[in-house]
């Protein structure tokens, strides 16, 4: 039997109250949680979709790209502030002007809808090069603000009506060291509840890392000998 998700049952109503969401926003979030993905990612030139068995969500979460979208999927999987996340949520309307100042009103399917501890909203993952193309084409769909953050004003405008958020996740935000670590430890993460490390070994590892912050894993293995690499990875 599948375990309940973090926001199942009364937890969802508590979440609504904490965020101060009105009935219209609550209905929208309920729709996100019960809807299947709006589309199935497909392969395109230079693009490899990923089907990821999410332990947090207890189902397959899909990413349209093995690089940008998948990187933010992994981040959501391992971010304690993320309670739930859904791929390809129901489409939303955007309204913005193109380079000829004509109003465009497309239906837009964001990459993810993310329930964070203190907020909820859509997240669109884009390579920086793609975002720059929109700007060079004169589209007002995406902009780079004064702090260097990519934003989607029409997405933010729609989300604000419901007290929700819309975030653009640009490829230059990806922490590739963290990505490598998550992937390296993936097999352990999937069986986390079954893994045990003796307390004495844990204390020895804590001591070694505290004495040398930023210690390379290879050096930690040498310093912790005869502790096995497997035990270090589990820790």
């Amino acid at each position: 039997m599948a375990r309940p998700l973090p926001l199942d049952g009364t937890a969802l109503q508590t979440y609504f109250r904490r965020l101060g969401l009105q009935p219209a926003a609550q209905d929208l979030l309920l729709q996100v949680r019960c809807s299947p993905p709006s589309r199935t990612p497909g392969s395109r030139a230079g693009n490899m979709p990923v089907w990821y068995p999410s332990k947090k969500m207890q189902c397959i979460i899909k990413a349209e790209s093995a690089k940008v979208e998948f990187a933010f999927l992994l981040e959501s999987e391992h971010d304690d502030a993320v309670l739930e996340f859904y791929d390809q949520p129901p489409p939303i309307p955007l309204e913005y002007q193109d380079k000829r100042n004509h109003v465009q009103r497309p239906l837009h399917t964001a990459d993810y809808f993310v329930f964070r501890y203190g907020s909820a909203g859509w997240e669109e993952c884009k390579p920086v090069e793609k975002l720059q193309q929109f700007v060079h084409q004169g589209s007002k769909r995406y902009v780079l603000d004064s702090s260097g953050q990519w934003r989607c004003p029409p997405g933010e405008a729609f989300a604000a009506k419901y007290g929700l958020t819309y975030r653009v996740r640009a490829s230059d935000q990806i922490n590739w060291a963290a990505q490598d670590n998550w992937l390296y430890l993936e097999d352990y993460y999937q069986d986390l509840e079954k893994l045990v490390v003796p307390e004495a070994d844990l204390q020895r590892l804590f001591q070694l890392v505290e004495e040398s912050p930023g210690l390379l894993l290879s050096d930690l293995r040498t310093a912790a000998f005869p502790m096995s690499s497997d035990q270090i990875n589990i820790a």
Side-chain angles (χ1 to χ4, degrees), residues 31-39 87-90:
Q31 181 186 13
V32 168
R33 294 187 83 239
C34 70
S35 297
S38 296
R39 65 173 184 261
D87 60 303
Q88 312 297 319

Side-chain angles (χ1 to χ4, degrees), residues 28-164:
L28 194 154
L29 266 60
L30 287 171
Q31 181 186 13
V32 168
R33 294 187 83 239
C34 70
S35 297
S38 296
R39 65 173 184 261
T40 300
S43 297
R44 297 189 300 273
N47 182 48
M48 179 65 69
V50 178
W51 296 53
Y52 178 75
S54 169
K55 186 180 181 69
K56 181 176 285 186
M57 295 302 298
Q58 301 170 54
C59 68
I60 297 294
I61 301 292
K62 295 177 284 295
E64 289 192 299
S65 161
K67 281 290 184 181
V68 182
E69 285 91 343
F70 182 56
F72 289 113
L73 186 163
L74 269 186
E75 179 185 301
S76 295
E77 180 76 6
H78 293 279
D79 185 350
D80 291 339
V82 172
L83 303 178
E84 296 179 2
F85 61 104
Y86 297 83
D87 60 303
Q88 312 297 319
I92 61 174
L94 300 183
E95 181 174 318
Y96 60 93
Q97 291 180 325
D98 61 20
K99 64 180 180 180
R100 291 182 291 273
N101 290 324
H102 294 164
V103 176
Q104 301 293 323
R105 296 187 178 92
L107 274 179
H108 161 63
T109 300
D111 292 310
Y112 301 107
F113 191 97
V114 181
F115 292 75
R116 298 180 182 275
Y117 183 82
S119 65
W122 296 267
E123 301 203 357
E124 179 71 356
C125 309
K126 291 278 189 207
V128 169
E129 298 79 11
K130 184 68 175 178
L131 293 167
Q132 291 170 339
Q133 284 179 16
F134 277 96
V135 174
H136 293 155
Q137 292 166 0
S139 170
K140 297 180 174 61
R141 181 163 175 167
Y142 298 104
V143 299
L144 186 64
D145 69 17
S146 59
S147 64
Q149 177 67 44
W150 285 100
R151 297 171 56 192
C152 175
E156 293 175 6
F158 179 83
K161 297 176 183 178
Y162 298 92
L164 303 173

Side-chain angles (χ1 to χ4, degrees), residues 174-203:
I174 296 170
N175 182 334
W176 291 110
Q179 293 285 318
D180 288 345
N181 289 340
W182 290 327
L183 290 172
Y184 176 75
L185 296 171
E186 179 68 22
D187 290 342
Y188 298 95
Y189 175 71
Q190 293 297 334
D191 283 319
L192 207 55
E193 296 83 357
K194 303 175 184 177
L195 304 180
V196 177
V197 178
E199 184 63 29
D201 287 349
L202 276 177
Q203 292 304 317

